[in-house]
Amino acid sequence: MAGLESVNAGYPISAFAGALGVRLEKKGFYIVNGGAPLSRVERWPKSFKAGGVCGEPVHSARRPGHCPWGWSGLSWSLCRGYALRLAEIVARESRGCGCITLSGGIDTSFVAAVHPERRMLKAFTVDLGGSDVRYAKLAVEKLGLKGHIIVNPGLDDFSKAVDWVLKSMEVIDPVEVAASSIHYIALSAAAGEGCGCVLSGDGGDELFLGYSFLLDKSIGYLEEWRRRMAREARLPTVEVGRMLGVDVRAPLYSRESRRLALETPLDCLVKGRWGKWMIRMLLDELGLREIAFRDKAPVTEGSGSLAALKSLATAMRGGEGAGAGLDFNPPTMLHSFLAHRLKNLKGRLPPKASQEERACPVCGRELRRGWCRFCGATVSPQGVATHYTGD
């Protein structure tokens, strides 16, 4: 594609066509990948064909000519343009990185799909009995990735991962511990396979509104949310990678991706019960429909790590004793198990907040912007605390 002069300067879609291995032709001007087939209309959702462009998945029921979410042909054309720009950014940011943590969710599947050398990608999936592995296998098959390493840790290996998280991060939030343990296992496996760089889907939910709780929020709330996320989102896989000395890239959270997310109309991101709408639709177009319309599953559920953590606590009888020997009353069995285990590993718990007004009402540790990283509690402006209760 070197030297190709496009009449669509500013949107190098030719790079995207090359990355996906499809033919791109602008009559009278250029052809990219001339030996590849043209994209067929059959690959588009039925709702895209002749008539109104609604954008709902093919299995949804609707009256002919009725677009319940207000799609028009123009609106999808606009949103598709933003999706393609994001694909170009992610492809560019991913270049030279040959490994990926693949959950089979929207974000990691999208990063893999637009990788400029995706057939050379090596994917890593952690399977503790959740649904992720099925979708990850599907993505590997459809995209033709080079290799797929599925890590099936036993309870002993999972226990070691939990201990690493407790010692390294000093948190007892069950959700945080379960999620970070998966990142630790996947990145350790990637490092063991000689991966010099690992791609992740971090930042996709934050910037492109993937979390389910965002779907019924007001426009003002969503605008403020993504502005704040563009400034300060947490990237858990990147964080664990930094502690392990593994180079983890999050192309969905690059500077250009953040800039594009703030430009993208909200209508391109939230439709009905779906977040990350334009990314889902592009995945559907690329032949990954089952993944594109997969319900949002947090890593703790998709991998099975939260269920595994409960099994570990039960096996080690970690729920007994509750708050005995601790300086706070744990709200759940898992909080209790993790607090006792952390104390046994390090000989202490992190200190409590020095100022009472900044203390978490659940564990006494410091709150930052209404959130306690130690126990995972969030406190509303009205002082109402919520936390994991899933025992």
Side-chain angles (χ1 to χ4, degrees):
M1 292 178 289
L4 177 65
E5 187 171 340
S6 173
V7 293
N8 302 318
Y11 294 92
I13 195 172
S14 58
F16 189 45
L20 296 180
V22 299
R23 171 173 166 151
L24 173 68
E25 179 176 354
K26 191 166 187 70
K27 295 290 187 181
F29 290 93
Y30 59 77
I31 298 176
V32 177
N33 284 341
L38 284 164
S39 181
R40 298 179 302 156
V41 70
E42 286 80 6
R43 294 179 181 171
W44 288 59
K46 289 181 180 179
S47 56
F48 283 10
K49 300 177 186 178
V53 179
C54 294
E56 72 270 36
V58 68
H59 57 264
S60 66
R62 66 179 179 91
R63 300 190 303 277
H66 174 61
C67 290
W69 301 332
W71 274 107
S72 67
L74 177 63
S75 63
W76 171 236
S77 176
L78 174 69
C79 293
R80 189 172 185 272
Y82 282 102
L84 290 174
R85 286 174 62 191
L86 178 62
E88 292 170 359
I89 292 168
V90 171
R92 188 163 53 247
E93 295 287 339
S94 301
R95 190 175 297 277
C97 200
C99 299
I100 186 170
T101 57
L102 184 69
S103 68
I106 302 298
D107 299 323
T108 56
S109 298
F110 182 74
V111 172
V114 303
H115 193 285
E117 299 174 317
R118 72 165 186 259
R119 296 188 186 281
M120 299 302 294
L121 266 181
K122 187 181 293 184
F124 295 83
T125 303
V126 180
D127 179 22
L128 282 163
S131 60
D132 277 356
V133 67
R134 179 171 74 87
Y135 292 99
K137 287 179 178 179
L138 178 64
V140 169
E141 177 186 352
K142 292 281 188 179
L143 297 174
L145 304 190
K146 176 183 179 181
H148 189 199
I149 296 177
I150 300 173
V151 185
N152 301 102
L155 202 58
D156 286 345
D157 288 335
F158 182 66
S159 175
K160 292 175 183 177
V162 169
D163 285 351
W164 182 90
V165 171
L166 291 172
K167 289 189 292 185
S168 302
M169 305 178 76
E170 295 194 345
V171 296
I172 63 163
D173 172 14
V175 175
E176 174 93 1
V177 173
S180 295
S181 296
I182 291 299
H183 303 321
Y184 169 83
I185 293 168
L187 293 177
S188 295
E193 290 291 321
C195 294
C197 171
V198 182
L199 295 167
S200 83
D202 286 8
D205 284 321
E206 288 77 6
L207 288 180
F208 300 98
L209 309 183
Y211 293 117
S212 300
F213 75 88
L214 294 172
L215 300 182
D216 61 355
K217 299 297 185 183
S218 68
I219 291 175
Y221 183 97
L222 295 178
E223 292 285 12
E224 173 55 30
W225 166 272
R226 64 178 177 176
R227 281 195 298 267
R228 181 159 55 87
M229 291 299 103
R231 294 192 305 267
E232 57 182 19
R234 286 191 62 223
L235 307 177
T237 316
V238 174
E239 184 177 345
V240 172
R242 188 179 302 119
M243 293 178 179
L244 285 173
V246 177
D247 177 20
V248 178
R249 287 191 208 170
L252 284 168
Y253 198 75
S254 69
R255 182 175 299 179
E256 285 189 82
S257 294
R258 282 178 276 164
R259 186 181 299 119
L260 178 64
L262 296 178
E263 294 175 12
T264 303
L266 290 176
D267 279 349
C268 295
L269 301 178
V270 177
K271 289 288 178 185
R273 69 187 186 94
W274 307 105
K276 295 186 287 198
W277 181 252
M278 69 180 192
I279 300 177
R280 290 178 183 270
M281 296 309 293
L282 201 54
L283 282 175
D284 188 15
E285 184 178 334
L286 294 172
L288 296 172
R289 170 163 295 164
E290 192 172 352
I291 292 172
F293 294 107
R294 178 186 179 186
D295 285 326
K296 169 65 181 171
V299 63
T300 53
E301 176 187 323
S303 67
S305 63
L306 192 56
L309 185 60
K310 293 177 183 179
S311 298
L312 180 64
T314 300
M316 302 187 73
R317 306 176 67 85
E320 295 184 2
L326 303 176
D327 58 7
F328 72 103
N329 187 29
T332 70
M333 178 271 288
L334 281 184
H335 282 97
S336 174
F337 166 68
L338 294 171
H340 282 289
R341 195 160 180 83
L342 173 58
K343 187 176 180 181
N344 289 337
L345 288 167
K346 302 208 70 166
R348 58 167 179 78
L349 295 179
K352 288 190 171 185
S354 57
Q355 299 175 310
E356 186 176 351
E357 62 272 17
R358 299 184 65 178
C360 171
V362 176
C363 69
R365 271 67 193 177
E366 185 173 349
L367 287 172
R368 295 188 179 181
R369 299 191 178 183
W371 176 57
C372 175
R373 184 173 185 186
F374 180 68
C375 74
T378 57
V379 182
S380 71
Q382 294 75 34
V384 178
T386 57
H387 52 76
Y388 167 83
T389 58
D391 285 354

